[in-house]
DNA sequence: ACTATTTATATCGCACACGATACAATCGCA
DNA sequence: TGCGATTGTATCGTGTGCGATATAAATAGT
């Protein structure tokens, strides 16, 4: 506990936004050693995950699902392509779209999904019930933040 | 609800880590229009906040409080200095340390703190009770993740 | 006192993440 | 049919974040 000069200003960790900020960084540090051997970053893993669920999506579709801008995803997906995880090609039915599809290496990475989930799940130290309660609150929070 | 090709793989938003990742991005989007007029980014705001509570901290002390690496903070703090929010000078009692202190513009920014808190607090759409419950869970989660 | 280690910060390269902007393909409407 | 508006991506510049490495100051051990 620090010795604050101003008792009227609370600790930083009494801010919800900071707890989320710091939790996100902590999660990243847990994922890193798990994903590094596969040659993936966490956002790249999220993109692949979407493709494992449904292949051949457009950049905009992926951006919508992740809540990111396409300007963030374009270079990220190009790195995934460069590394052999996905392929990119224009949609013949609408040449404005770029369809992103799984390449062989992307399919292989999928076989590590369970192991990744187990590893990260254990690191949380939460019961399934606690985790789901947290998710429910966060989803509600996220909806409000997005609508505000 | 999408039409998954693989029912054995859950939706992305059933992952706690993704909810936190997405919530963090959403918070950032709420803060941006509030902090932009002040000429601050969210991480820069966090650094100033620490200094409002206790002035004249070393880079390492700030890094520890935020859970960041000093390699992240050095350029960030230099930008704060460049913009006139803080000053940096070597600690005479230990020349390895750099003491970061509030400059006039940093003091002025403090007068907007209440307004920032109100604005962001309202955007969460949570009661004080819900917010505190969430914080408690997140703090517990963060502890586990850091120890794992 | 002198070296070896540790500590505090800085530098560099890479990967997000965003807003602003550009551009080509498509669509809508006269 | 044709032309203006919209849509889908890409590009650019700025600001985090990290690990690896460098460097200078302080400390420890002989």
């Amino acid at each position: 506990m620090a010795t604050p000069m101003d008792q009227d200003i609370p600790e930083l960790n009494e801010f919800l936004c900071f707890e989320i900020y710091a939790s996100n960084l902590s999660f990243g540090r847990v994922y890193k050693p798990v994903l590094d051997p596969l040659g993936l970053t966490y956002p790249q893993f999220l993109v692949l995950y979407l493709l494992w669920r449904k292949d051949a999506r457009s950049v905009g579709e992926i951006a919508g699902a992740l809540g990111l801008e396409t300007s963030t995803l374009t270079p990220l997906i190009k790195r995934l392509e460069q590394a052999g995880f996905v392929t990119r090609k224009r949609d013949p039915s609408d040449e404005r779209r770029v369809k992103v599809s799984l390449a062989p290496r992307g399919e292989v990475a999928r076989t590590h999904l369970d192991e990744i989930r187990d590893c990260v799940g254990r690191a949380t130290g939460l019961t399934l019930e606690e985790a789901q309660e947290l998710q429910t609150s966060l989803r509600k929070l996220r909806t409000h933040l997005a609508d505000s």
Side-chain angles (χ1 to χ4, degrees), chain A:
Chain A
M1 181 69 74
T3 56
M5 294 179 70
D6 304 86
Q7 291 292 354
D8 57 329
I9 301 189
E11 293 268 348
L12 199 46
N13 56 13
E14 288 176 29
F15 284 101
L16 179 55
C17 53
F18 177 70
E19 278 303 330
I20 290 177
Y21 172 79
S23 297
N24 185 50
L25 293 178
S26 294
F27 253 125
R29 291 182 197 114
V30 170
Y31 265 102
K32 185 155 183 25
V34 180
L35 293 178
D36 259 358
L38 299 178
L40 289 171
T41 65
Y42 178 61
Q44 288 170 1
F45 166 72
L46 294 181
V47 170
L48 282 190
Y49 187 87
L50 288 176
L51 296 178
W52 292 335
R53 279 184 50 81
K54 184 163 78 72
D55 202 1
R57 303 194 191 221
S58 72
V59 176
E61 187 181 352
I62 295 170
L66 296 182
L68 294 173
E69 301 300 318
T70 60
S71 55
T72 299
L73 283 173
T74 296
L76 186 156
I77 291 172
K78 282 188 175 177
R79 279 186 288 269
L80 279 177
E81 182 187 35
Q82 189 65 27
F85 289 103
V86 303
T87 59
R88 293 173 350 118
K89 69 162 184 280
R90 291 276 165 187
D91 184 343
S93 72
D94 184 343
E95 289 283 341
R96 292 172 307 178
R97 292 170 187 269
V98 169
K99 284 282 196 186
V100 183
S101 303
L102 286 169
R105 193 177 177 188
E107 306 273 13
V108 170
R110 180 188 190 149
T111 63
H112 295 86
L113 178 56
D114 284 344
E115 140 198 0
I116 293 170
R117 292 194 60 180
D118 289 350
C119 189
V120 175
R122 269 197 310 277
T124 63
L126 300 179
T127 65
L128 220 71
E129 216 175 46
E130 290 174 309
Q132 288 186 344
E133 211 171 304
L134 239 179
Q135 281 175 62
T136 305
S137 304
L138 287 170
R139 191 149 36 237
K140 179 181 171 188
L141 166 66
R142 199 150 62 84
T143 307
H144 280 289
L145 289 178
D147 294 349
S148 74

